[in-house]
């Protein structure tokens, strides 16, 4: 018998002061899946997951977590769902180990917090008060607190924001371990690389709506209908800056050559990023491959001129 989805969100709507933040979002997350919500700042990602966590009351639509209504059955939901806290929710004076003990006491079968703290590089800080932790340490503590209850479902919102690349990769491995123990993960991110690396499926959210919902490979195939930019930079580029580009669908960095898929406006953003860092793009190629469904998006001006030193190649045509 097919099992019911662990998280179900149907036609979710939520406005703030009459302005829609989430405008009809639907998706379902299966047991054991890492499901990503990807989108630019202000897209409505946090509002969506706060409704899943029962921290916000939807204006309309339906949300279920393991069949529970997170608002009406908040206590029961809390026992199955581990959520990443916001900074304001933790008392400044609690030490790391006090916080972990306190939070494990909320759950019926918590993990031993010590190995978890070790895994997250928090052991040396276990007697440090929360207020004295660095930004990255606070972030790692929030992740530990989301996991310590040994929940069936974990919601992580921008979990690696502010972490250095090394710490980010450690956290990714931890998330993969969590999933291999059967935990379902709902992961909010605005880093395409993070979503691609970790997620089984991704809902791309833009302006409160689901713009696409697919596997990472499927999203890349779709982006064949968008604009692909590739170049070899004269100096290394920061992954974080590349991932933060607007309308980015995918980024690949292979043997020093960068390939980005995005929309028309991604090209502008890439070129100004390069200009800001005084980096030259060697063998720059910009390719549009319009499909009928994407025609609206690829209506573009041809821009080959002195402003950016010239786009040297442009291929326009179906894939
Ligand atoms: N508590 C709030 N009050 C008013 N507006 C809010 C509040 N929270 C979020 N918003 C607005 O709702 C929109 C979606 O925000 P959010 O869900 O935080 O998006 P994301 O997490 O994708 O950045 C944004 O325009 C944001 O300014
Ligand atoms: Mg957010």
């Amino acid at each position: 018998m097919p099992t019911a989805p662990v998280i179900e969100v149907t036609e979710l709507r939520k406005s703030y002061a009459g302005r829609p933040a989430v405008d009809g979002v639907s998706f379902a997350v299966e047991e054991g899946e890492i499901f990503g919500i990807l989108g630019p700042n202000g897209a409505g990602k946090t509002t969506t997951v706060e409704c899943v966590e029962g921290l916000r009351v939807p204006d309309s639509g339906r949300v279920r977590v393991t069949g529970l209504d997170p608002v009406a059955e908040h206590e029961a939901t809390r026992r199955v769902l581990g959520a990443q806290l916001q900074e304001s929710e933790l008392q400044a004076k609690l030490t790391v180990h006090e916080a972990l003990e306190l939070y494990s006491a909320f759950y019926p079968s918590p993990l031993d917090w010590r190995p978890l703290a070790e895994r997250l590089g928090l052991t040396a800080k276990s007697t440090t008060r929360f207020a004295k932790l660095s930004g990255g340490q606070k972030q790692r503590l929030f992740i530990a607190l989301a996991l310590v209850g040994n929940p069936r479902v974990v919601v992580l919102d921008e979990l690696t924001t502010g972490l250095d690349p090394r710490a980010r990769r450690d956290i990714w491995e931890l998330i993969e371990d969590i999933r291999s123990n059967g935990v379902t993960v709902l992961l909010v991110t605005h880093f395409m690389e993070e979503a691609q690396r970790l997620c089984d499926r991704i809902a791309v959210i833009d302006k409160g709506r689901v713009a696409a919902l697919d596997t990472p490979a499927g999203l890349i195939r779709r982006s064949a209908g968008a604009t692909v930019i590739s170049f070899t930079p004269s100096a290394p580029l920061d992954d974080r800056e590349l991932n933060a580009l607007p309308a980015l669908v995918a980024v690949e960095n292979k043997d020093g050559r960068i390939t980005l898929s995005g929309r028309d406006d991604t090209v502008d953003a890439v070129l100004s990023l390069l200009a800001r860092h005084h980096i030259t793009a060697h063998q720059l190629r910009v390719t549009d491959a319009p499909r009928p469904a994407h025609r609206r998006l690829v209506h573009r001006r041809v821009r080959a001129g002195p402003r950016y030193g010239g786009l040297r190649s442009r291929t326009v045509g179906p894939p």
Side-chain angles (χ1 to χ4, degrees):
M1 219 177 72
T3 50
V6 171
I7 301 173
E8 284 180 272
V9 173
T10 314
E11 282 296 306
L12 178 67
R13 289 193 161 75
K14 177 75 186 174
S15 295
Y16 299 108
R19 294 189 52 198
V22 176
D23 198 10
V25 163
S26 302
F27 60 88
V29 183
E30 304 299 329
E31 175 116 53
E33 213 179 7
I34 303 183
F35 188 93
I37 296 186
L38 176 72
N41 282 334
K45 305 181 297 296
T46 295
T47 304
T48 301
V49 299
E50 284 176 347
C51 291
V52 170
E53 293 163 341
L55 300 174
R56 285 196 191 281
V57 182
D59 296 340
S60 67
R62 184 184 135 102
V63 179
R64 290 292 179 272
V65 177
T66 65
L68 299 163
D69 177 337
V71 175
E73 296 165 291
H74 191 62
E75 282 309 308
T77 306
R78 254 178 58 148
R79 286 193 286 273
V80 294
L81 184 141
Q84 211 176 334
L85 295 181
Q86 305 293 311
E87 171 134 12
S88 57
E89 291 175 83
L90 207 60
Q91 279 183 39
K93 284 187 177 167
L94 275 185
T95 65
V96 166
H97 92 255
E98 284 168 350
L100 285 163
E101 275 177 6
L102 180 68
Y103 277 78
S104 44
F106 289 148
Y107 295 92
S109 53
L111 300 175
D112 181 352
W113 62 265
R114 288 167 195 85
L116 186 62
E118 181 68 40
R119 186 75 201 269
L120 284 159
L122 290 167
T123 304
K125 296 285 160 192
S126 64
T127 57
T128 305
R129 294 184 196 285
F130 174 67
K132 299 278 183 206
L133 297 176
S134 72
Q137 290 160 352
K138 284 180 182 170
Q139 191 80 348
R140 284 181 272 140
L141 176 59
F142 290 143
I143 295 168
L145 293 173
L147 300 176
V148 74
N150 195 17
R152 271 185 70 190
V153 187
V154 184
V155 179
L156 299 165
D157 191 345
E158 306 280 1
L159 82 164
T160 63
T161 299
L163 296 183
D164 62 50
R166 175 67 213 280
R168 179 173 300 155
R169 286 193 173 82
D170 288 348
I171 305 284
W172 290 350
E173 278 180 22
L174 178 70
I175 302 301
E176 284 166 342
D177 281 4
I178 296 164
R179 188 266 293 280
S180 60
N181 291 328
V183 177
T184 304
V185 182
L186 180 61
L187 178 82
V188 172
T189 184
H190 66 269
F191 293 119
M192 182 62 204
E193 189 193 357
E194 183 163 288
Q196 255 177 299
R197 154 83 193 259
L198 287 176
C199 298
D200 299 302
R201 289 186 304 143
I202 300 167
V204 179
I205 298 199
D206 193 21
K207 298 189 181 73
R209 293 166 186 265
V210 177
L213 199 166
D214 210 331
T215 60
L219 285 179
I220 291 169
R221 272 198 303 277
R222 281 166 192 249
S223 74
T227 298
V228 178
I229 308 143
S230 62
F231 58 95
T232 306
S234 58
L237 270 166
D238 187 338
D239 280 353
R240 270 174 296 187
E241 290 199 70
L242 286 174
N243 276 292
L245 289 169
L248 191 69
V249 182
V251 57
E252 184 185 82
N253 190 341
K254 207 170 172 185
D255 303 329
R257 185 148 183 95
I258 295 174
T259 303
L260 303 149
S261 342
R263 246 173 21 203
D264 197 20
D265 47 348
T266 314
V267 183
D268 269 343
V270 170
L271 294 169
S272 32
L273 173 68
L274 293 171
R276 259 200 320 281
H277 293 289
H278 306 288
I279 291 176
T280 312
H282 297 295
Q283 285 104 41
L284 175 65
R285 302 267 183 279
V286 178
T287 309
D288 294 328
R291 293 185 306 193
H294 284 89
R295 247 182 233 293
R296 255 179 325 117
L297 293 181
V298 296
H299 172 78
R300 57 150 68 233
R301 291 155 286 161
V302 172
R303 190 181 292 117
R307 186 173 163 205
Y308 303 119
L311 301 184
R312 300 218 314 239
S313 158
R314 171 173 295 280
T315 319
V316 180

